[in-house]
Amino acid sequence: MTTTTNAPVRPGTSRAAAPTARGKRPVRGRRSPLASLALHLTLVIASVIAVFPVLWVFLTSLKPAEYATTTDFVKETTFENYGKLIADTEFLTWFGNSLLVAGLTTVLGVFVAATTGYAVSRFRFPGKRGLMWTLLITQMFPVAVLIVPIYNIMSRLGLLNEPAGLVITYLTIAVPFCAWMMKGFFDTIPREIDESGQVDGLTPFGTFWRLILPLARPGIAVTAFYSFITAWGEVAYASAFMVGDENLTLAGGLQKFVNQYGAQWGPMTAASVLIAIPAAIVFLFAQRHLVTGVSAGAVKG
């Protein structure tokens, strides 16, 4: 003789719909084969669209000049364009100038943005609200509006055609955004850590340097990455402020390969590949902190 056990039924559901003790709960949200195929096809197409321009530039840099504009993916592969780029142009000088400007912008940008964000996050002082509004409003002006007044300022200060002029200009672009982001990140760090540092006899800067800054690595990684990319890939200011082959950065140097009669696609694509390497290296070092830093900086920004 068999006995049956009546499983409890939730209010509002019928006994037939209730799962039995031995039965498995039905799986919800399972994608149909057609929907799965459409999703994967969309991802593949998006990946191809994203990768194709980079792959095309790389393959073009390996073609002889006469085949640079052909649609053949691979045609008489050669490294001649790279050799001519390094031997016959001032590419290494431009590369060094860009590294100098981007490196100084990154170091100073991280320091200024971190200290500004910490001060705004932790202290009360006259003009705090005005400073925050200033940092926000400066992000609203496009490059086309600022390039003429900044050019005049740098001209009066004698900083045209000087790396320092570009560094200061790039800091005016990177620091406001990074300071706002760092302020939001510091807001997520408990104030009890500052208080413990004061109990141990640390100065406010000592507390910031020894206790708070190590906890802010994700935010610092985002700040460093943004500052570096701002200086490394900027074109408008670099082209307007720097003249002479020995003073140009990569942005200005690449324009040497384009004139009114045509473009030297081989050297230009080879230079583009080499320019992308430092940016990729910086991204690889910062990538594990990027998502954490951006999301944390947006919590209380």
Side-chain angles (χ1 to χ4, degrees), residues 89-98 245-250:
T89 69
E90 298 292 332
F91 177 80
L92 294 180
T93 301
W94 306 336
F95 196 91
N97 292 339
S98 291
D245 285 350
E246 69 281 0
N247 297 319
L248 292 178
T249 60
L250 290 169

Side-chain angles (χ1 to χ4, degrees), residues 20 32 40 45 51 78 80 97 101 114 139 194 230 247 264 279:
T20 62
S32 66
H40 285 80
I45 294 174
V51 173
T78 177
E80 181 182 2
N97 292 339
V101 172
Q139 299 297 300
D194 300 69
T230 297
N247 297 319
Q264 303 176 48

Side-chain angles (χ1 to χ4, degrees), residues 101 105 108 146-173 234 236-243:
V101 172
T105 302
L108 294 176
L146 294 176
I147 191 169
V148 173
I150 293 180
Y151 182 92
N152 291 332
I153 293 173
M154 294 301 167
S155 177
R156 293 177 182 179
L157 296 176
L159 294 177
L160 289 180
N161 222 28
E162 295 288 342
L166 276 183
V167 171
I168 294 173
T169 302
Y170 294 150
L171 288 176
T172 63
I173 301 172
E234 200 279 326
Y237 292 111
S239 301
F241 293 1
M242 310 297 283
V243 295

Side-chain angles (χ1 to χ4, degrees), residues 75-282:
K75 189 74 173 180
E76 298 185 12
T77 301
T78 177
F79 289 93
E80 181 182 2
N81 292 322
Y82 291 90
K84 288 184 177 180
L85 175 70
I86 295 175
D88 299 340
T89 69
E90 298 292 332
F91 177 80
L92 294 180
T93 301
W94 306 336
F95 196 91
N97 292 339
S98 291
L99 278 181
L100 175 64
V101 172
L104 289 175
T105 302
T106 301
V107 173
L108 294 176
V110 168
F111 180 78
V112 175
T115 52
T116 303
Y118 181 73
V120 173
S121 173
R122 290 297 196 264
F123 303 114
R124 296 180 179 274
F125 52 89
K128 175 181 176 179
R129 184 176 296 274
L131 174 62
M132 296 177 66
W133 275 107
T134 300
L135 294 176
L136 182 62
I137 292 174
T138 53
Q139 299 297 300
M140 301 179 183
F141 294 95
V143 173
V145 175
L146 294 176
I147 191 169
V148 173
I150 293 180
Y151 182 92
N152 291 332
I153 293 173
M154 294 301 167
S155 177
R156 293 177 182 179
L157 296 176
L159 294 177
L160 289 180
N161 222 28
E162 295 288 342
L166 276 183
V167 171
I168 294 173
T169 302
Y170 294 150
L171 288 176
T172 63
I173 301 172
V175 167
F177 169 79
C178 293
W180 260 101
M181 186 195 64
M182 291 300 297
K183 185 263 183 189
F185 190 87
F186 287 132
D187 285 344
T188 65
I189 299 178
R191 293 179 179 268
E192 287 77 8
I193 296 179
D194 300 69
E195 296 173 359
S196 65
Q198 295 174 3
V199 171
D200 292 338
L202 294 176
T203 62
F205 184 80
T207 301
F208 163 75
W209 185 259
R210 299 180 61 179
L211 301 180
I212 304 299
L213 208 57
L215 299 177
R217 288 180 181 176
I220 292 174
V222 177
T223 299
F225 180 73
Y226 182 79
S227 300
F228 181 85
I229 293 300
T230 297
W232 188 254
E234 200 279 326
V235 177
Y237 292 111
S239 301
F241 293 1
M242 310 297 283
V243 295
D245 285 350
E246 69 281 0
N247 297 319
L248 292 178
T249 60
L250 290 169
L254 284 181
Q255 299 182 26
K256 296 289 184 178
F257 301 122
V258 181
N259 54 46
Q260 59 181 337
Y261 302 106
Q264 303 176 48
W265 292 108
M268 186 164 59
T269 53
S272 300
V273 173
L274 296 179
I275 290 172
I277 293 176
I281 293 174
V282 172

Side-chain angles (χ1 to χ4, degrees), residues 2-5 7 18-25:
T2 58
T3 59
T4 58
T5 302
T20 62
R22 295 182 181 180
K24 294 183 179 179
R25 188 180 297 273

Side-chain angles (χ1 to χ4, degrees), residues 12-67:
T13 61
S14 64
R15 184 176 298 274
T20 62
R22 295 182 181 180
K24 294 183 179 179
R25 188 180 297 273
V27 179
R28 296 181 181 179
R30 176 174 293 178
R31 221 181 270 115
S32 66
L34 184 60
S36 180
L37 177 63
L39 176 62
H40 285 80
L41 184 61
T42 302
L43 292 176
V44 169
I45 294 174
S47 300
V48 170
I49 293 174
V51 173
F52 180 77
V54 180
L55 180 62
W56 184 262
V57 169
F58 174 70
L59 294 177
T60 302
S61 70
L62 299 177
K63 297 179 183 178
E66 59 269 22
Y67 300 117

